[in-house]
Structure formats: C-alpha cells, structure tokens
Amino acid sequence: MPRAQKPAHIAMFSIAAHGHVNPSLEVVRELVARGHRVTYAIPPSFADLVAETGAEPRLWNSTLPTDDAPEDWGTELIDNIEPFLDDGIQALPQLIEAYRGDEPDLVIHDITAYPAPLLARRWNVPAIQLSPNMVAWQGYETEVEPIRAELRATERGRAYYARFRSWLEEHDMASVTDPDRLVAHPRRCLALIPRAMQPHADQVDESVYTFVGACQGDRSHQGDWQRPANRAPGTKILLISLGSAFTNEPGFYRACIEAFRDLPDWHVVLQIGKFVDPSELGDIPGNFEVYSWVPQLAILRQADAFITHAGMGGSQEGLANGVPMLCVPQAADQFGNADMLQALGVGRHLPKAEVTALTLREAVFSLVNDPEVAVTAERIRREMSAEGGTARAADLIEAELTERDGVLTDRSLVGGRRR
C-alpha cells in the first residue's frame, strides 16, 4: 500500500478509560514513527501514557466517572449512556479552543469521543472511527431497537434523545437524524479487534468497517515478567486479572488462591487492582505472585491459562497469544465477550455467582487439558496475525490521507469506494 506523500497533522480523540485508550496507543505510536505529527486529545490522567507514544497530549477536562468510583456509572442503561453525552457537550468548547489555529488534516477517534465527528465537520476534514469493540452488522438495528424503544418510552430517555439531536443540529450535523448513528454508523471505521470476536462478522459492511485485529507493539516500557527460576520446567503459568475498574473483589481473589494453592505444577500471577490490600487475602501460597498491576501482555506471552473479566482488550490479548481463557465477566460488554470466547471454543463463561475454588479449578483444568481448545486457540492466533494489526491500521489511515490529497487511485485500498 502506498505511503502518505507528506507528513500530516493527525488528531486522535478519546476518553480517560484504559479500555478505550490502550487499543489506539500502538497505532498512534506507529503514525508518529512514520513521520506524522499526532496530537491526542485526552484528559490529564492519561497524558503521560499518551506522551510515551511520541504524540502531543492536548488536554481537556472530563466529567466522566473514573476507575476510582466505577459505581458512579449507575445500574440502568440511561445511567450508562447519559454521562457520555454530558461529557461530550461540555468537552466540545474545550477542544475547539485547544485546536484553534492548529486544525488537523485528519481526525481519528474512539467510539466514545462524541465531539470528534462534529469537529471533523467543522474543520472539513475526514474522520475515521477506531472501534475497540464490536461494530454494527446488517440486522443490528432490528436487534437493538427493542432496547431503544424501551429507553424512549421513559421521560428521561426522551429527554436524552432530544438533547442529543439538538446538540447535533446546533453543530451542523442535522443529517445524523438518529443520534445512535453517530456511534454505530460511522463513515469509516477501523475495528481494532479480531474478526473472530465480531458477532455476525459475515454481515458487516466491509466498505465501512475493516478488522485489523489486535494492535500490539513493544510494551517494554510497561515492564517485563519472567517465570521464577526456581520453578521446574513444564510448570504451567496462570494469569488472573479483572482489569482496571471492577477489581474490588477480595472474595474472588481468595477463591482463586484456594483453587490453586500449593499446586506443584502451577505458578500463578494474581493482579488485584488498587482497591484491595494483599492483607485481605490471608496467607499467600508460595506458588503465587500478587500485585496491584502487572505487565499483562508480557505474562500472556508465557501463560498457559488466563482467568479474565473478558474485557475486549484482555480477550484479544489472550487470543493473540493462543491462551485459553476462563471468563468471569463483571460489567458492560464483558458478558457478550465471554459468550463469544466460549462459542469460539477457546474459553469458558463462569458467572460471578457460580465462582468457587472448585468451579475455578475444574474450569481451568478442563480448558488446559482439552486438545481441541489448544488446536482452536492456535488457529485463531494465526488468523489474527494475518489481519495485520498496527501496521495495517496505520496503512489504512495513511490511505485516507493520500486519497484526500488526490494521490490514491487504487479504489480497492480503502474498502472499494471513494468517499
């Protein structure tokens, strides 16, 4: 694929959440390495992480709940979606000012960065969505319409949609007649997930969506991990992590410790997050390492099994390394991801309410000892590798730049159409 003819200013927009920032980081790092100037609009808590890629953080203040208080997201659907609209509305003036006199040539953005398409329209530049999870397929609207209808039947839901439409109209986006289309139906999208994790993948519009797979790279800056030298050859490695947000689960961690305590042929790395103190876990067996945070990818490259909450980031890291996964989802899309991994034949979905030391141990052993799981995991690992990952994502972004400049002539390079 032809490279962009000249360096460009590319602006990336996201929110202060690991599950939304992390998938884009290696793509941004690659674009910087190719000579582009990348600015990354992000709240201050993620500025250092962004700066490590070589991009310039453009700071704005967010009103979204943080990982320190995940309970602030509430329990109902409207509780989960209102904060994104509120945050987008208050962020837009900040972002306009942050880019005044330094407008980009191209906008790339996370699915939750609602101001980004509005800014691209304002600046008359292309926008590419970078989706860290599943995308819409033919028939998607029919499946979700009952949920939307239920939401619109409430006073709070009607007010949400009215406010969203008014905001879009105010900023010359009246053509987006349904606010849900802003996220679910972008003009162009790179799905930063493997095709294997996409429901109804054969019904996805390939002229809009391209699956590039896991965008991983050199994570040496996050630290390294090596299996202890005193462990016998053949000792199996188990990683246990519930991610970064829903980690206040001391009872779950105690069940994990009981499940794998002192097993001579297993070594366990347990990440407990920042809410739980190791003293709450009781006696730590000699075959366990316990940390508040671990370099997950470095461990997965050596792991034999992974107990995970089935966030999309961890799910695809497990797939990319051919590691069988026991999924104990906690919230949001994790339940669907767990079901997808089970359907693929590389995982098991263990509901949180059914977690005991016995169910954990039996599920992990059944995964690791099943030869069909190993064969399937290796096949998916190879398929993901062929999707192109970081380099392909950067190629497609550069193709958008060259097309804008009138350089690109091969229509097949950008999904079979000129836009």
Side-chain angles (χ1 to χ4, degrees):
M1 181 173 294
R3 296 284 295 274
Q5 300 302 301
K6 59 183 179 181
H9 175 194
I10 302 171
M12 171 68 196
F13 296 84
S14 192
I15 60 170
H18 285 283
H20 292 269
V21 172
N22 289 350
S24 70
L25 290 177
E26 294 307 321
V27 177
V28 167
R29 192 189 309 276
E30 176 67 15
L31 291 170
V32 171
R34 294 185 181 194
H36 299 291
R37 182 166 72 92
V38 182
T39 54
Y40 199 126
I42 195 70
S45 59
F46 277 70
D48 290 345
L49 189 62
V50 164
E52 288 175 354
T53 68
E56 173 196 339
R58 288 288 171 91
L59 303 183
W60 57 279
N61 295 314
S62 174
T63 59
L64 288 177
T66 68
D67 285 351
D68 292 330
E71 66 278 3
D72 289 349
W73 283 105
T75 58
E76 299 180 22
L77 175 60
I78 191 67
D79 297 329
N80 299 156
I81 63 177
E82 268 187 339
F84 291 110
L85 177 59
D86 294 341
D87 196 46
I89 290 174
Q90 68 87 35
L92 183 58
Q94 298 182 59
L95 296 169
I96 291 172
E97 189 59 34
Y99 281 89
R100 191 177 302 280
D102 189 27
E103 292 79 8
D105 302 298
L106 176 70
V107 165
I108 56 178
H109 63 95
D110 180 71
I111 58 174
T112 56
Y114 290 179
L118 281 65
L119 290 167
R121 174 86 172 200
R122 178 187 183 93
W123 298 327
N124 192 30
V125 299
I128 304 176
Q129 184 187 81
L130 305 184
S131 178
N133 49 29
M134 72 175 191
V135 299
W137 60 89
Q138 184 179 358
Y140 169 82
E141 300 295 337
T142 302
E143 290 195 25
V144 301
E145 181 52 36
I147 299 172
R148 293 175 179 172
E150 184 177 345
L151 185 60
R152 292 188 181 98
T154 67
E155 182 177 350
R156 191 174 166 193
R158 289 191 296 271
Y160 166 81
Y161 278 105
R163 187 179 182 215
F164 210 145
R165 288 193 188 93
S166 176
W167 184 54
L168 294 176
E169 291 170 359
E170 179 186 351
H171 294 281
D172 197 26
M173 295 286 284
S175 60
V176 184
T177 55
D178 183 348
D180 291 319
R181 294 185 65 83
L182 190 74
V183 176
H185 294 279
R187 181 194 63 84
R188 184 74 172 101
C189 174
L190 305 184
L192 309 183
I193 65 169
R195 187 179 178 86
M197 287 297 290
Q198 170 64 40
H200 309 292
D202 60 335
Q203 299 175 40
V204 171
D205 184 351
E206 295 183 358
S207 71
V208 175
Y209 303 97
T210 301
F211 294 95
V212 299
C215 292
Q216 300 172 359
D218 180 11
R219 302 234 190 130
S220 58
H221 61 286
Q222 296 181 352
D224 194 15
W225 183 88
Q226 296 294 331
R227 66 173 61 222
N230 61 351
R231 302 301 292 176
T235 297
K236 291 181 171 58
I237 303 299
L238 169 64
L239 172 62
I240 305 172
S241 171
L242 295 181
S244 60
F246 297 92
T247 61
N248 192 7
E249 298 290 340
F252 170 77
Y253 302 134
R254 286 193 291 267
C256 289
I257 289 172
E258 184 62 27
F260 302 99
R261 173 184 294 275
D262 295 326
L263 296 180
D265 52 349
W266 282 88
H267 186 81
V268 183
V269 182
L270 172 61
Q271 175 178 294
I272 60 174
K274 57 187 174 183
F275 301 115
V276 176
D277 190 279
S279 64
E280 299 179 60
L281 306 181
D283 176 54
I284 306 298
N287 66 325
F288 268 72
E289 300 177 44
V290 178
Y291 305 98
S292 60
W293 181 90
V294 299
Q296 180 165 288
L297 192 55
I299 299 171
L300 284 175
R301 286 169 176 158
Q302 306 173 65
D304 298 280
F306 183 21
I307 298 179
T308 171
H309 63 307
M312 183 59 79
S315 296
Q316 65 177 347
E317 287 180 0
L319 287 174
N321 289 280
V323 183
M325 287 171 273
L326 175 58
C327 306
V328 186
Q330 306 292 304
D333 64 336
Q334 297 160 18
F335 300 96
N337 294 340
D339 289 340
M340 179 67 76
L341 290 168
Q342 181 165 287
L344 287 172
V346 295
R348 299 284 188 276
H349 180 174
L350 179 62
K352 182 179 175 180
E354 298 178 15
V355 167
T356 66
L358 180 60
T359 57
L360 288 167
R361 184 167 56 248
E362 288 183 342
V364 168
F365 287 0
S366 69
L367 283 167
V368 172
N369 295 325
D370 186 339
E372 289 299 316
V373 171
V375 170
T376 303
E378 174 59 19
R379 174 180 59 78
I380 294 175
R381 186 197 68 77
R382 291 197 305 268
E383 290 173 354
M384 284 182 63
S385 179
E387 288 176 324
T390 302
R392 189 178 184 207
D395 285 345
L396 290 166
I397 290 169
E398 288 192 324
E400 192 79 22
L401 284 166
T402 55
E403 183 176 14
R404 180 179 184 239
D405 292 340
V407 175
L408 188 61
T409 58
D410 185 349
R411 295 165 60 133
S412 67
L413 296 178
V414 286
R417 64 188 181 120
R418 296 188 67 83
R419 294 173 298 278

